[in-house]
Amino acid sequence: MRADPSFWRGRRVLLTGHTGFKGGWLAIRLAQLGAEVTGLALAPSTTPDLFSLARIADGLTHRDCDVRDRAGVADVVRAARPEIVLHLAAQPLVRASYADPLATFATNVMGTAHLLDACRDSAGLRVIVVVTTDKVYRNLEHPYPYRETDALGGHDPYSASKASAEIVTASYRDSYLAGAGIAVATARAGNVIGGGDWSDDRLLPDAVRHWQTGAVLDVRRPDAVRPWQHVLEAVHAYLQLAEALWQQPALAGAYNFGPETGDAASVRTVVDLARAAYGRGEARFGAVEPGPHEAGWLSLEIARARAALGIVPRWTLEEAVRRTMVWYRDLHDGADARALCEADIAAFGAAR
């Protein structure tokens, strides 16, 4: 399945979090598809940032707004008159959530509630996709994939905030939005990699920062296992989910998006692949303190996305890591960020 340009052309879309990593890639793809996008977000939080380098503001109406501002969110929703809402705005980092749990809960829980509440009376709105994370599950550290029906939980504040956002979304769907003819789904994507992410405490951005300067990368948890996927797998899934909900509102609910279950891989494996793709760089495994608690094993069951939406992974882990590292290397060598994104999008569209 592919995103349908005839569906998205001229479609009014409210995209939150478009100044971030995943939101930036999604904004580029929506611009290619001809959607009329209003973006709601704060200024980029990293230096450099994809929003500026890829000139993402050129393809949408940018509204500077904090999702913690209830009145501001309501104003943006009224002005945008969206037909589809894609909610990605969040505090997305586990270690940052330990440093500032209240800001994390305010953004990820109340920010989601503010948006959904503003959508209750939005005429013409048909679909809402709320992006959460693979970390919403009560992690039992067992080597089995989590299904959408498994218990929610969260040891760290980030995971707990996203699990809470799932509950908030389900409540608004059942109490208000379904009755108003608005189909609502949550998207639980695995660990997303790709060019244009400069967040702290993320594995491949940290590797690039170190290897570009000749420094050694210290890896905290080399044996942690995660369901890694390229950012375009997630972008494709969000778009396909929104299209499916428009046609079949009964598909509302929660969806896992990630690699095939057996393709979850360790941090050590990803670092080795990244080093080979980048062509240089050294790493030390387990030489530093691991820091606050993070899950050791996490994988996702994606059967529901395959059966209900026809979504299957396109790129192997090796290809996802290779393209990520080549993106950063080419940007460092002077390539244009927007052109690099568009080249990856074209290659992804041609993949089978």
Side-chain angles (χ1 to χ4, degrees), residues 262-314:
D263 290 340
S266 71
V267 169
R268 186 187 304 270
T269 296
V270 173
V271 170
D272 288 341
L273 291 171
R275 186 165 41 186
Y278 201 63
R280 63 181 186 273
E282 296 299 326
R284 285 189 294 256
F285 296 104
V288 295
E289 288 297 320
H293 174 274
E294 295 183 50
W297 184 290
L298 178 58
S299 63
L300 297 176
E301 174 58 69
I302 60 170
R304 187 184 187 204
R306 181 188 294 109
L309 307 173
I311 294 175
V312 294
R314 297 190 196 177

Side-chain angles (χ1 to χ4, degrees), residues 24-43:
W25 280 87
L26 186 50
I28 292 171
R29 186 63 183 129
L30 286 167
Q32 289 182 328
L33 293 168
E36 296 180 4
V37 181
T38 297
L40 183 162
L42 293 172

Side-chain angles (χ1 to χ4, degrees), residues 140-146 261 297-299:
L140 303 176
E141 299 290 353
H142 56 48
Y144 306 105
Y146 289 96
T261 298
W297 184 290
L298 178 58
S299 63

Side-chain angles (χ1 to χ4, degrees), residues 70-155:
R70 177 184 178 185
V73 170
D75 288 343
V76 173
V77 171
R78 278 193 295 270
R81 299 183 300 111
E83 297 170 280
I84 294 174
V85 172
L86 304 172
H87 178 44
L88 279 71
Q91 192 296 96
L93 302 173
V94 171
R95 286 166 70 89
S97 78
Y98 278 112
D100 195 346
L102 292 182
T104 299
F105 284 112
T107 299
N108 295 351
V109 184
M110 290 309 300
T112 299
H114 291 158
L115 178 66
L116 295 173
D117 201 68
C119 288
R120 288 171 56 187
D121 301 316
S122 184
L125 178 58
R126 292 269 300 272
V127 169
I128 301 173
V129 175
V130 174
V131 173
T132 59
T133 176
D134 55 354
K135 297 173 181 64
V136 298
Y137 296 105
R138 183 163 62 89
N139 195 299
L140 303 176
E141 299 290 353
H142 56 48
Y144 306 105
Y146 289 96
R147 294 177 170 84
E148 290 88 348
T149 53
D150 285 335
L152 301 176
H155 182 285

Side-chain angles (χ1 to χ4, degrees), residues 34-293:
E36 296 180 4
V37 181
T38 297
L40 183 162
L42 293 172
S45 60
T46 65
T47 302
D49 68 271
L50 185 64
F51 180 71
S52 301
L53 289 177
R55 304 177 298 282
I56 289 169
D58 293 348
L60 49 74
T61 299
H62 170 68
R63 296 291 299 272
D64 192 321
C65 181
D66 191 328
V67 292
R68 292 173 293 183
D69 177 1
R70 177 184 178 185
V73 170
D75 288 343
V76 173
V77 171
R78 278 193 295 270
R81 299 183 300 111
E83 297 170 280
I84 294 174
V85 172
L86 304 172
H87 178 44
L88 279 71
Q91 192 296 96
L93 302 173
V94 171
R95 286 166 70 89
S97 78
Y98 278 112
D100 195 346
L102 292 182
T104 299
F105 284 112
T107 299
N108 295 351
V109 184
M110 290 309 300
T112 299
H114 291 158
L115 178 66
L116 295 173
D117 201 68
C119 288
R120 288 171 56 187
D121 301 316
S122 184
L125 178 58
R126 292 269 300 272
V127 169
I128 301 173
V129 175
V130 174
V131 173
T132 59
T133 176
D134 55 354
K135 297 173 181 64
V136 298
Y137 296 105
R138 183 163 62 89
N139 195 299
L140 303 176
E141 299 290 353
H142 56 48
Y144 306 105
Y146 289 96
R147 294 177 170 84
E148 290 88 348
T149 53
D150 285 335
L152 301 176
H155 182 285
D156 58 271
Y158 169 74
S159 300
S161 74
K162 284 295 194 173
S164 300
E166 287 274 352
I167 295 171
V168 168
T169 301
S171 175
Y172 267 88
R173 179 179 58 238
D174 296 342
S175 298
Y176 308 107
L177 299 170
I182 302 170
V184 183
T186 55
R188 305 168 179 175
N191 278 43
V192 173
I193 60 175
D197 185 5
W198 284 279
S199 298
D200 291 332
D201 297 318
R202 289 238 177 99
L203 180 61
L204 296 189
D206 281 349
V208 169
R209 278 188 285 265
H210 283 73
W211 296 344
Q212 282 180 348
T213 62
V216 176
L217 174 69
D218 283 311
V219 181
R220 296 191 309 273
R221 299 175 182 273
D223 298 320
V225 172
R226 296 288 185 268
W228 310 90
Q229 62 182 328
H230 194 272
V231 62
L232 287 173
E233 302 279 6
V235 164
H236 165 261
Y238 303 157
L239 295 173
Q240 289 296 132
L241 176 56
E243 288 186 37
L245 292 172
W246 187 280
Q247 302 295 338
Q248 300 180 68
L251 291 174
Y255 290 86
N256 288 338
F257 298 119
E260 298 292 352
T261 298
D263 290 340
S266 71
V267 169
R268 186 187 304 270
T269 296
V270 173
V271 170
D272 288 341
L273 291 171
R275 186 165 41 186
Y278 201 63
R280 63 181 186 273
E282 296 299 326
R284 285 189 294 256
F285 296 104
V288 295
E289 288 297 320
H293 174 274

